[in-house]
Amino acid sequence: MKLLLGLLFLWLLSSEGNADHLEEQGKLKALRSFQFSCEKVMLPETPSSSVHALTPADIKTVTAIGSLQRTSRSGLHHEDLLQSTGKSLLEVSVETLAALISRFNPSVLHQSPLPGTKGLTSDSQAIDLQHQAEEIVKLMKENQMMDFQNDWKLITVFFSAENPCASTQLKDCILDNLEKLKAVLDFLYKKVPKAFINLVVSAELTTSSLACQDYNNASNPDRNQCNCAGECSALDDSILRWSYQDAWEKLLKSERYDQKDDFTVVLQPSLQERNLLLRPGRDGFITTSNTQVETLEEDYTFMAVGLWNNMMEPVGRKQPYDFTKMLQVRCPSQENPYLFTYRNSNYSSSLETSNTKERSQERIYGTHVPCFDRSPSNTVPVSVHNLKPADIRVIAALGDSITAANGAASKPHDILDVLTQYRGVSWSVGGNENISTVTTLANILREFNPSLIGYSTGVGKETTDNAALNQAVAGNRAENVPAQVRRLVDRMKNDSRINLQTDWKLITLFIGGNDLCKFCKNPVRYSPENYTYNLQTALDMLQREVPRAFVNLVTVLSITSLRELHASENSTCQKLLMRFLCPCVINPKDNSSEFKKLIYFNKRYQERTRQLVESGRYDTTDDFTVVVQPFLTNVNVPKTQEGLPDSSYFAPDCFHFSQKSHSQAARALWNNMLEPLGEKTDNQQIEAEIVLKCPSAAEPFLRTYKNSNYTYPNQTQNYGSQLSCKDRSPSSPPATSVHSLKPADVKIIAALGDSLTAGTGIASDNLLDLDIQYRGLSWSIGGDESLENVTTLPNIFREFNVTIMGYSTGTGSENDSNAFLNQAVPGAQAEHLPAQARNLLRLMKTDPRIDFSADWKLITVHIGGNDLCNYCKDPNHYSAANFVRRIQETLDILHKQVPKALVSLVEVMDILPLRQLFVDTQVQCPTYMADYLCSCVLKGEENSPNVIMVREATRAYQLGVQRLVESGRYDTHENFTVIIQPFLQNLKIPLGQDGHPDVSYFSPDCFHPSQKGHSQLAKALWNALLQPVGQKADTFNFMDDIVLDCPTQNKPFLGTYKNNNHTYPPVEPTNEPIENWGSDLSCSEQMPSSHVPTSVHDLQPADIKVIGALGDSLTTAVGAKTNDLQTDWRGLSWSIGGDGTLETQTTLPNILKKFNPNLFGFSTGSSKETAGFNVAERGTTARNMSAQARDLVALMRSSSKINFQEDWKLITILIGGNDLCQYCLDKETYSVQKYVKHLQDTLDIFYEELPRVFVNMVEILEISGLRQIAASSSRCALIAKNMCPCFLNPEENTSELQEIMRVNRDFQAEALQLINSGRYEQREDFAVVMQPFFRNTLLPLDSNGKPDLSFFAADCFHFSARGYAEMAMALWNNMLEPVGEKQTYNNFTYDRSKLKCPNPEKPFLSTLRNSGFRYSDHNMEKTEPSVPYWAVIVAAVAGVLAGSLLIWLVAGRRAKRRQHKTDTEKNIKTTSL
């Protein structure tokens, strides 16, 4: 590429010249490096006389003129795009084309563009295109090196609209711009002989400018505009772009410029800005700053070569510019050696409107309602299941442009009018005229209740008054519906005509088309799981806030039918526009994997919608229900009598419904509402006559599950087994040796392990439910139902001993009572197994139902999958030696302390075969979750280093455990043994009849087994227990027909080494220390003040006697144990946890205990009883803080352990994350003003009621870093967005994202202003200090430059123990740093010795006053303060606003350091959070 640039940019030293010197300078060779293989040709003796036979060798002069406008939405400044320190697009295109033509004509000249066209700094400075044309013609005439009359000229005209227009003026705007272009082309046509004109339209620049432009231009004061805060949808862009393309092409197809044989204009593919912005480069992406001139010029070169290639392509076959790969320069063919024009291409425009006579369409879409009984109930019903149509008082609708009725009443071929929202004729809520002329659901209901309110009329957006309760928004997707619900509820509450509590409401929701149209661009964001989650969020809001409501949930239509309309040769549809509107549906080829994925997503949207409602979630009260109306589920495109797609049912864009379809949809929806569940139409023929049904006399109600006598189908299948064993008796006399243990002798069953044993995802039908632990269905320990329908090991044992206990039931964590002796923890690794063993031991010893000494116990242990999944990341930590040592520690605990036990140690599973599920493209598995699930195994090539490492580690794990058990270490007495069950040593993936993996054996993540898989595992485990040692199966195939074995008369016992006469050789394991996140602190000043200070400004760390904390889940330490998100690990809380010591876990209390070992108030463990003065609660927002403050004051007053009046107290507050994450859902509740008011109320309580207090107010973190974390991992994208939608849902460079980031900064700045206002400085024993270490947080990066998720919990939102330790260190250091000098970022660089010590000269906790920002009482009247009162406020607030600059500098320096490999292990990489 650099060689090519050498050719193009060093070609001439002057602004114009010829190509004679190319070969002398060696540039032709460089051109060949750009895959230019055209044969060198002899110049024609006689140049062509016709432009339609013009060859490259005929061209003598190349030039260009152009005007390209800026677009505000791209985030790219116009100066960056067209004017940089390098060459402009026009210059590069001229030089590139001339260089290419020089291969055919070495004497070709290039006339450089006019100096003023290099880049336009503003509209007012733009050189008018007409003026450019006049000047370039003048220059060519004056050029002594060319014959103006006789030389052929290649002129490229770059054109875009000069000014934006309001949507109401679009037609005039397009015509205005068309007239400007015509004037330029007319001038060239008249003045320039022998010319081939390339017309390149900047379509995307144009439409973006039209749709969303900066109107702060004094020269355009009267221009209306489209609000860039999201009002301009993809629909606007697509229609505008198509309209311009249509206008240009019709102009040229009119042959206006083909009347002379020596002149033509050819429309080349439009220049799309996104291609310039998104072309992958050496660093993965390209930005267009002035410092990247070379890259920008490369982009221009790519575009110019693409333009050349399109000149070699017939009209109609030209290709978009491709910036993603090295292009091969096309050569003229022998049969077509000329540049292609409309005439020599024999082209017929695809945009040309059909000349066939337009079919007359009936413009009245009325209906007759044949129902005689239209009366309401005698009394207003109290149950939604007794709701008659006439009882409906309010009607409303939510959705997208279908419900907004875009283009519903547009005239044929008037595509621009599709932007008009004809809400009055909307199928589900329109109320124009009446039922005799306009059929809509609202007009049907008005025949039953003329007083119906809420329907929309006329045209306009959802914000207009006439939109009423039609709050559908064009372009919206499922993720936008909760915001629609919020607006709808607000409108209903503010409408004086509506009694929200007593009026019955009918709400229709139809959404999903836009999700499917975009799903291929971001399969995670538009996954069926996220689609359903967003529906659930919206419906939950309605259920919670709207009483007396019947909700129609219309299933998303089978959108693939659009492809038939697009493919029809007889259709008048504008196919280019359809591709713009819905690329993920229209573009995939038939039978392609993309098309199959579309069908899968479409079906899953429908299935999951049904499953959501059939869960019964919305049938918990009598005044609310959601009913799925499925009439569009299997809909086909309507056909004519000839069997061809009938476009009369569609708006002019062939995407939206015409009023004809709206009428039919209204009829079909009405009929669906009256059809009982289980009998609803799901394949409505839109072209068929639809006669309105009437409520029956027997059931005059809108049909619900209840009044339909409908039972939701059971989602679970039967996975029971048969046991044919005849002898099921226990030993007689009772067994005294583990080697003579019969199944019926086992009285206690238990299990240890990871997510497999915890039951993760067993009965899940979607990815969002994967955090549910179905312990009652677990293969080795579940006890739900019985063996007849659930196959688990306990259920098999219960056939021998019905009184067996210890098994788990239902769902929940290991801490729930129903988990019983199932102590497995999802995500657990071998290092966590000893703790599980100790918990199990405690439970067995303390449960009164268990005779610990006398009862025989069967304990199943299975671990190792997570160790292998992480092996490649840290081979030392997950070494075989460490793995075996941790297994040994666990077994030693059991061996030493558990009498009468057989430990069934299931060998480490060979998980490598699971790769098949993620490699086979025919399997619909979430490959985007591979990194989260098991990156070392599921990612990379088959023989990649990581895979090889895991393969070797698996075998090493297995051999190591075998040696440990075979050592005889656990066979020292008759009442205990450990038996290895090796059947998972070789795993076989189940295959379907098509030869592809059968995912029915797995949960939706394709990693954890489903109940079907668990049933097979349970059978295999049971059989393994009975098999003799040395003869056990070492292979497991999910698809095997496994028959449950029975004990035999000769071998009635569970198999052990002894009852099979098996001998083991010994081996010794190794040891290795365990890591922790503690710190070292050795400060010389650790003593308290010589006397108890009376001033907070003289407070030393050792003076602190009491510690407390307020906040949310960060302060309750959710996620401190990475994979457990259900527990509040308060003992590990950064600001108040006191578990362990500083050497093992860094927390603020553990630091303070070094100064005062008698510190009181810190939390320990995970229960409320040991929470101490940690009153934080998960999920809380700022409005909960005053209640927490009162609770804390009450706890301190009532505590007998402290001296309430005399003891110094340290209280830490961190709140606001949940406020920010929910801001977009309720901007009033979570406004900046309310946030600060809640903080003030909280601090006022402490100020008025607590003596001797130092308050740490931790500044709210810069939470936008969540976007980087979510982007780094599909798992994080899926999970974190549900926790913080307002930060993660907005797309980049949108006004929504800019707004929430601004609110984040305002939270910081306004809170700081409150703290430093002087409000809390009148007491000598009280201080509030802002600790700003979170202001500009740096996101930790791993060695690959990606966010280091070891600092975060499994939900990618909370911190892990490692992250909390970093917070504690940063907070402590902030407390010692003077105000004004505090570190305002946390760089997450782990270092045991980075804790600071108090300054010997000023060993106090820093306050405003002792930092020099306030004066003392002693010199208040005598001296002026050294720093003005307001300085700290101004400086600190400015710090918040300027923080991004600081982080840019720090991150920039770190980015440079990243190139060096000399970083120490302590320097963990970071990026700006």
Side-chain angles (χ1 to χ4, degrees), residues 362-370 425 432-440 443-444 447 659-664 666-667 689-692:
E362 184 182 0
R363 281 293 160 189
I364 295 179
Y365 299 105
T367 300
H368 170 64
V369 178
V425 300
N432 273 7
E433 303 178 23
N434 56 58
I435 194 64
S436 64
T437 56
V438 177
T439 300
T440 65
N443 281 351
I444 295 172
E447 294 297 300
Q659 190 176 351
K660 193 173 181 179
S661 278
H662 275 271
S663 300
Q664 290 291 77
R667 297 182 181 102
E689 180 184 3
I690 304 176
V691 178
L692 293 182

mmCIF file of all heavy atoms in Angstrom, residues 362-370 425 432-440 443-444 447 659-664 666-667 689-692:
data_model
loop_
_atom_site.group_PDB
_atom_site.id
_atom_site.type_symbol
_atom_site.label_atom_id
_atom_site.label_comp_id
_atom_site.label_asym_id
_atom_site.label_seq_id
_atom_site.Cartn_x
_atom_site.Cartn_y
_atom_site.Cartn_z
ATOM 1 N N GLU A 362 -59.521 0.057 -3.713
ATOM 2 C CA GLU A 362 -60.649 0.566 -2.951
ATOM 3 C C GLU A 362 -60.112 1.432 -1.819
ATOM 4 O O GLU A 362 -59.256 1.009 -1.063
ATOM 5 C CB GLU A 362 -61.427 -0.616 -2.385
ATOM 6 C CG GLU A 362 -62.686 -0.202 -1.646
ATOM 7 C CD GLU A 362 -63.388 -1.409 -1.065
ATOM 8 O OE1 GLU A 362 -62.876 -2.523 -1.254
ATOM 9 O OE2 GLU A 362 -64.431 -1.225 -0.431
ATOM 10 N N ARG A 363 -60.584 2.642 -1.741
ATOM 11 C CA ARG A 363 -60.059 3.578 -0.755
ATOM 12 C C ARG A 363 -60.935 3.644 0.493
ATOM 13 O O ARG A 363 -60.637 4.387 1.402
ATOM 14 C CB ARG A 363 -59.931 4.976 -1.378
ATOM 15 C CG ARG A 363 -58.702 5.131 -2.245
ATOM 16 C CD ARG A 363 -57.452 5.065 -1.411
ATOM 17 N NE ARG A 363 -56.281 4.742 -2.208
ATOM 18 C CZ ARG A 363 -55.110 4.463 -1.717
ATOM 19 N NH1 ARG A 363 -54.929 4.409 -0.425
ATOM 20 N NH2 ARG A 363 -54.087 4.192 -2.504
ATOM 21 N N ILE A 364 -62.004 2.896 0.512
ATOM 22 C CA ILE A 364 -62.824 2.850 1.716
ATOM 23 C C ILE A 364 -62.642 1.470 2.322
ATOM 24 O O ILE A 364 -62.873 0.466 1.653
ATOM 25 C CB ILE A 364 -64.310 3.125 1.394
ATOM 26 C CG1 ILE A 364 -64.478 4.555 0.881
ATOM 27 C CG2 ILE A 364 -65.177 2.897 2.635
ATOM 28 C CD1 ILE A 364 -65.888 4.904 0.510
ATOM 29 N N TYR A 365 -62.209 1.444 3.554
ATOM 30 C CA TYR A 365 -61.894 0.182 4.200
ATOM 31 C C TYR A 365 -62.802 -0.022 5.413
ATOM 32 O O TYR A 365 -62.343 -0.332 6.496
ATOM 33 C CB TYR A 365 -60.424 0.159 4.604
ATOM 34 C CG TYR A 365 -59.489 0.277 3.426
ATOM 35 C CD1 TYR A 365 -58.813 1.454 3.158
ATOM 36 C CD2 TYR A 365 -59.319 -0.802 2.565
ATOM 37 C CE1 TYR A 365 -57.960 1.551 2.066
ATOM 38 C CE2 TYR A 365 -58.476 -0.714 1.468
ATOM 39 C CZ TYR A 365 -57.801 0.469 1.229
ATOM 40 O OH TYR A 365 -56.964 0.556 0.136
ATOM 41 N N GLY A 366 -64.066 0.180 5.205
ATOM 42 C CA GLY A 366 -65.021 0.034 6.287
ATOM 43 C C GLY A 366 -65.436 -1.414 6.509
ATOM 44 O O GLY A 366 -65.083 -2.317 5.747
ATOM 45 N N THR A 367 -66.194 -1.630 7.569
ATOM 46 C CA THR A 367 -66.604 -2.970 7.972
ATOM 47 C C THR A 367 -67.984 -2.889 8.615
ATOM 48 O O THR A 367 -68.346 -1.868 9.205
ATOM 49 C CB THR A 367 -65.609 -3.562 8.985
ATOM 50 O OG1 THR A 367 -64.325 -3.642 8.394
ATOM 51 C CG2 THR A 367 -66.017 -4.967 9.428
ATOM 52 N N HIS A 368 -68.716 -3.985 8.485
ATOM 53 C CA HIS A 368 -69.991 -4.102 9.173
ATOM 54 C C HIS A 368 -69.800 -4.984 10.396
ATOM 55 O O HIS A 368 -69.212 -6.064 10.312
ATOM 56 C CB HIS A 368 -71.038 -4.723 8.247
ATOM 57 C CG HIS A 368 -72.308 -5.085 8.960
ATOM 58 N ND1 HIS A 368 -73.130 -4.140 9.552
ATOM 59 C CD2 HIS A 368 -72.899 -6.305 9.191
ATOM 60 C CE1 HIS A 368 -74.162 -4.754 10.117
ATOM 61 N NE2 HIS A 368 -74.042 -6.064 9.908
ATOM 62 N N VAL A 369 -70.258 -4.506 11.530
ATOM 63 C CA VAL A 369 -70.186 -5.295 12.759
ATOM 64 C C VAL A 369 -71.517 -6.015 12.923
ATOM 65 O O VAL A 369 -72.536 -5.382 13.183
ATOM 66 C CB VAL A 369 -69.900 -4.409 13.990
ATOM 67 C CG1 VAL A 369 -69.872 -5.244 15.264
ATOM 68 C CG2 VAL A 369 -68.581 -3.672 13.819
ATOM 69 N N PRO A 370 -71.515 -7.338 12.776
ATOM 70 C CA PRO A 370 -72.781 -8.070 12.745
ATOM 71 C C PRO A 370 -73.325 -8.443 14.118
ATOM 72 O O PRO A 370 -74.267 -9.227 14.205
ATOM 73 C CB PRO A 370 -72.397 -9.337 11.967
ATOM 74 C CG PRO A 370 -70.979 -9.582 12.334
ATOM 75 C CD PRO A 370 -70.363 -8.213 12.509
ATOM 76 N N VAL A 425 -55.438 5.635 11.273
ATOM 77 C CA VAL A 425 -55.903 4.407 10.627
ATOM 78 C C VAL A 425 -55.120 3.195 11.125
ATOM 79 O O VAL A 425 -55.201 2.119 10.535
ATOM 80 C CB VAL A 425 -55.814 4.511 9.086
ATOM 81 C CG1 VAL A 425 -56.674 5.653 8.576
ATOM 82 C CG2 VAL A 425 -54.362 4.701 8.623
ATOM 83 N N ASN A 432 -59.798 7.223 13.283
ATOM 84 C CA ASN A 432 -60.330 8.129 12.267
ATOM 85 C C ASN A 432 -61.758 7.732 11.885
ATOM 86 O O ASN A 432 -62.090 6.541 11.789
ATOM 87 C CB ASN A 432 -59.458 8.100 11.008
ATOM 88 C CG ASN A 432 -58.301 9.081 11.092
ATOM 89 O OD1 ASN A 432 -58.077 9.698 12.135
ATOM 90 N ND2 ASN A 432 -57.564 9.219 10.003
ATOM 91 N N GLU A 433 -62.578 8.726 11.642
ATOM 92 C CA GLU A 433 -63.935 8.535 11.119
ATOM 93 C C GLU A 433 -64.694 7.505 11.956
ATOM 94 O O GLU A 433 -64.826 7.650 13.164
ATOM 95 C CB GLU A 433 -63.868 8.172 9.635
ATOM 96 C CG GLU A 433 -63.127 9.245 8.818
ATOM 97 C CD GLU A 433 -62.996 8.888 7.349
ATOM 98 O OE1 GLU A 433 -63.789 8.078 6.841
ATOM 99 O OE2 GLU A 433 -62.070 9.438 6.702
ATOM 100 N N ASN A 434 -65.166 6.426 11.320
ATOM 101 C CA ASN A 434 -65.915 5.403 12.050
ATOM 102 C C ASN A 434 -65.794 4.075 11.334
ATOM 103 O O ASN A 434 -65.138 3.966 10.303
ATOM 104 C CB ASN A 434 -67.387 5.810 12.219
ATOM 105 C CG ASN A 434 -68.027 6.104 10.865
ATOM 106 O OD1 ASN A 434 -68.056 5.234 9.986
ATOM 107 N ND2 ASN A 434 -68.544 7.319 10.700
ATOM 108 N N ILE A 435 -66.441 3.050 11.864
ATOM 109 C CA ILE A 435 -66.261 1.694 11.353
ATOM 110 C C ILE A 435 -66.759 1.531 9.927
ATOM 111 O O ILE A 435 -66.331 0.628 9.202
ATOM 112 C CB ILE A 435 -66.959 0.683 12.293
ATOM 113 C CG1 ILE A 435 -66.503 -0.745 11.987
ATOM 114 C CG2 ILE A 435 -68.471 0.816 12.193
ATOM 115 C CD1 ILE A 435 -65.053 -0.990 12.229
ATOM 116 N N SER A 436 -67.652 2.414 9.468
ATOM 117 C CA SER A 436 -68.176 2.273 8.110
ATOM 118 C C SER A 436 -67.154 2.657 7.056
ATOM 119 O O SER A 436 -67.275 2.254 5.900
ATOM 120 C CB SER A 436 -69.444 3.123 7.947
ATOM 121 O OG SER A 436 -69.127 4.508 8.086
ATOM 122 N N THR A 437 -66.134 3.417 7.441
ATOM 123 C CA THR A 437 -65.126 3.843 6.463
ATOM 124 C C THR A 437 -63.716 3.428 6.832
ATOM 125 O O THR A 437 -62.861 3.295 5.964
ATOM 126 C CB THR A 437 -65.151 5.381 6.311
ATOM 127 O OG1 THR A 437 -64.962 5.977 7.605
ATOM 128 C CG2 THR A 437 -66.462 5.856 5.706
ATOM 129 N N VAL A 438 -63.445 3.234 8.111
ATOM 130 C CA VAL A 438 -62.093 2.893 8.564
ATOM 131 C C VAL A 438 -62.180 1.745 9.573
ATOM 132 O O VAL A 438 -62.784 1.899 10.634
ATOM 133 C CB VAL A 438 -61.393 4.099 9.220
ATOM 134 C CG1 VAL A 438 -60.013 3.695 9.747
ATOM 135 C CG2 VAL A 438 -61.261 5.257 8.238
ATOM 136 N N THR A 439 -61.588 0.606 9.203
ATOM 137 C CA THR A 439 -61.620 -0.539 10.101
ATOM 138 C C THR A 439 -60.356 -0.564 10.959
ATOM 139 O O THR A 439 -59.247 -0.735 10.445
ATOM 140 C CB THR A 439 -61.720 -1.863 9.327
ATOM 141 O OG1 THR A 439 -62.913 -1.852 8.552
ATOM 142 C CG2 THR A 439 -61.765 -3.043 10.289
ATOM 143 N N THR A 440 -60.548 -0.368 12.232
ATOM 144 C CA THR A 440 -59.460 -0.511 13.211
ATOM 145 C C THR A 440 -60.067 -1.164 14.447
ATOM 146 O O THR A 440 -61.299 -1.198 14.612
ATOM 147 C CB THR A 440 -58.866 0.858 13.615
ATOM 148 O OG1 THR A 440 -59.871 1.613 14.301
ATOM 149 C CG2 THR A 440 -58.379 1.636 12.400
ATOM 150 N N ASN A 443 -62.145 1.384 16.320
ATOM 151 C CA ASN A 443 -63.454 1.679 15.729
ATOM 152 C C ASN A 443 -64.428 0.514 15.911
ATOM 153 O O ASN A 443 -65.638 0.730 15.999
ATOM 154 C CB ASN A 443 -63.297 2.022 14.251
ATOM 155 C CG ASN A 443 -62.820 3.464 14.058
ATOM 156 O OD1 ASN A 443 -62.764 4.235 15.019
ATOM 157 N ND2 ASN A 443 -62.482 3.831 12.837
ATOM 158 N N ILE A 444 -63.922 -0.706 15.944
ATOM 159 C CA ILE A 444 -64.793 -1.843 16.247
ATOM 160 C C ILE A 444 -65.311 -1.711 17.673
ATOM 161 O O ILE A 444 -66.515 -1.854 17.950
ATOM 162 C CB ILE A 444 -64.040 -3.169 16.066
ATOM 163 C CG1 ILE A 444 -63.655 -3.374 14.602
ATOM 164 C CG2 ILE A 444 -64.894 -4.341 16.553
ATOM 165 C CD1 ILE A 444 -62.736 -4.556 14.361
ATOM 166 N N GLU A 447 -68.139 0.637 18.470
ATOM 167 C CA GLU A 447 -69.495 0.156 18.198
ATOM 168 C C GLU A 447 -70.105 -0.470 19.453
ATOM 169 O O GLU A 447 -71.316 -0.599 19.564
ATOM 170 C CB GLU A 447 -69.469 -0.859 17.067
ATOM 171 C CG GLU A 447 -69.051 -0.280 15.716
ATOM 172 C CD GLU A 447 -70.037 0.776 15.229
ATOM 173 O OE1 GLU A 447 -71.224 0.429 15.043
ATOM 174 O OE2 GLU A 447 -69.639 1.950 15.050
ATOM 175 N N GLN A 659 -53.226 0.815 4.203
ATOM 176 C CA GLN A 659 -54.462 0.814 4.987
ATOM 177 C C GLN A 659 -55.254 -0.456 4.746
ATOM 178 O O GLN A 659 -55.978 -0.930 5.631
ATOM 179 C CB GLN A 659 -55.318 2.041 4.654
ATOM 180 C CG GLN A 659 -56.497 2.199 5.617
ATOM 181 C CD GLN A 659 -57.290 3.455 5.378
ATOM 182 O OE1 GLN A 659 -56.883 4.321 4.598
ATOM 183 N NE2 GLN A 659 -58.433 3.568 6.021
ATOM 184 N N LYS A 660 -55.093 -1.034 3.569
ATOM 185 C CA LYS A 660 -55.757 -2.300 3.254
ATOM 186 C C LYS A 660 -55.330 -3.391 4.242
ATOM 187 O O LYS A 660 -56.164 -4.140 4.758
ATOM 188 C CB LYS A 660 -55.398 -2.695 1.816
ATOM 189 C CG LYS A 660 -56.223 -3.811 1.212
ATOM 190 C CD LYS A 660 -55.838 -3.952 -0.258
ATOM 191 C CE LYS A 660 -56.636 -5.042 -0.941
ATOM 192 N NZ LYS A 660 -56.258 -5.146 -2.392
ATOM 193 N N SER A 661 -54.028 -3.463 4.513
ATOM 194 C CA SER A 661 -53.531 -4.444 5.479
ATOM 195 C C SER A 661 -53.906 -4.070 6.897
ATOM 196 O O SER A 661 -54.208 -4.940 7.729
ATOM 197 C CB SER A 661 -52.007 -4.569 5.374
ATOM 198 O OG SER A 661 -51.647 -5.431 4.335
ATOM 199 N N HIS A 662 -53.876 -2.783 7.217
ATOM 200 C CA HIS A 662 -54.269 -2.356 8.550
ATOM 201 C C HIS A 662 -55.704 -2.788 8.848
ATOM 202 O O HIS A 662 -56.012 -3.235 9.963
ATOM 203 C CB HIS A 662 -54.133 -0.839 8.688
ATOM 204 C CG HIS A 662 -52.755 -0.385 9.046
ATOM 205 N ND1 HIS A 662 -52.318 -0.258 10.346
ATOM 206 C CD2 HIS A 662 -51.703 -0.034 8.274
ATOM 207 C CE1 HIS A 662 -51.059 0.151 10.365
ATOM 208 N NE2 HIS A 662 -50.650 0.294 9.112
ATOM 209 N N SER A 663 -56.586 -2.673 7.856
ATOM 210 C CA SER A 663 -57.971 -3.087 8.050
ATOM 211 C C SER A 663 -58.059 -4.576 8.310
ATOM 212 O O SER A 663 -58.779 -5.033 9.211
ATOM 213 C CB SER A 663 -58.797 -2.724 6.814
ATOM 214 O OG SER A 663 -58.779 -1.340 6.583
ATOM 215 N N GLN A 664 -57.308 -5.359 7.521
ATOM 216 C CA GLN A 664 -57.333 -6.805 7.695
ATOM 217 C C GLN A 664 -56.725 -7.215 9.040
ATOM 218 O O GLN A 664 -57.224 -8.119 9.707
ATOM 219 C CB GLN A 664 -56.578 -7.478 6.541
ATOM 220 C CG GLN A 664 -57.276 -7.387 5.185
ATOM 221 C CD GLN A 664 -58.532 -8.231 5.133
ATOM 222 O OE1 GLN A 664 -59.568 -7.827 5.675
ATOM 223 N NE2 GLN A 664 -58.448 -9.384 4.500
ATOM 224 N N ALA A 666 -56.717 -5.467 11.747
ATOM 225 C CA ALA A 666 -57.681 -5.117 12.794
ATOM 226 C C ALA A 666 -58.755 -6.194 12.923
ATOM 227 O O ALA A 666 -59.114 -6.605 14.034
ATOM 228 C CB ALA A 666 -58.315 -3.763 12.487
ATOM 229 N N ARG A 667 -59.257 -6.658 11.775
ATOM 230 C CA ARG A 667 -60.279 -7.715 11.802
ATOM 231 C C ARG A 667 -59.713 -8.994 12.418
ATOM 232 O O ARG A 667 -60.359 -9.646 13.251
ATOM 233 C CB ARG A 667 -60.770 -7.994 10.380
ATOM 234 C CG ARG A 667 -61.464 -6.811 9.707
ATOM 235 C CD ARG A 667 -61.957 -7.198 8.318
ATOM 236 N NE ARG A 667 -62.591 -6.073 7.652
ATOM 237 C CZ ARG A 667 -62.021 -5.324 6.717
ATOM 238 N NH1 ARG A 667 -60.786 -5.608 6.326
ATOM 239 N NH2 ARG A 667 -62.659 -4.321 6.163
ATOM 240 N N GLU A 689 -61.137 -12.907 2.725
ATOM 241 C CA GLU A 689 -62.184 -12.111 3.370
ATOM 242 C C GLU A 689 -62.245 -12.493 4.843
ATOM 243 O O GLU A 689 -62.317 -13.663 5.198
ATOM 244 C CB GLU A 689 -63.540 -12.360 2.711
ATOM 245 C CG GLU A 689 -64.663 -11.555 3.348
ATOM 246 C CD GLU A 689 -66.033 -11.859 2.759
ATOM 247 O OE1 GLU A 689 -66.111 -12.753 1.887
ATOM 248 O OE2 GLU A 689 -67.003 -11.206 3.158
ATOM 249 N N ILE A 690 -62.194 -11.508 5.703
ATOM 250 C CA ILE A 690 -62.237 -11.747 7.144
ATOM 251 C C ILE A 690 -63.538 -11.159 7.679
ATOM 252 O O ILE A 690 -63.728 -9.940 7.666
ATOM 253 C CB ILE A 690 -61.029 -11.124 7.868
ATOM 254 C CG1 ILE A 690 -59.712 -11.630 7.267
ATOM 255 C CG2 ILE A 690 -61.083 -11.429 9.361
ATOM 256 C CD1 ILE A 690 -58.476 -10.995 7.868
ATOM 257 N N VAL A 691 -64.411 -12.023 8.111
ATOM 258 C CA VAL A 691 -65.699 -11.592 8.660
ATOM 259 C C VAL A 691 -65.558 -11.463 10.169
ATOM 260 O O VAL A 691 -65.042 -12.356 10.839
ATOM 261 C CB VAL A 691 -66.807 -12.611 8.315
ATOM 262 C CG1 VAL A 691 -68.131 -12.179 8.933
ATOM 263 C CG2 VAL A 691 -66.936 -12.760 6.806
ATOM 264 N N LEU A 692 -66.002 -10.340 10.690
ATOM 265 C CA LEU A 692 -65.880 -10.115 12.124
ATOM 266 C C LEU A 692 -66.738 -11.097 12.911
ATOM 267 O O LEU A 692 -67.910 -11.323 12.592
ATOM 268 C CB LEU A 692 -66.293 -8.684 12.476
ATOM 269 C CG LEU A 692 -65.397 -7.556 11.958
ATOM 270 C CD1 LEU A 692 -65.932 -6.208 12.434
ATOM 271 C CD2 LEU A 692 -63.971 -7.747 12.416
#
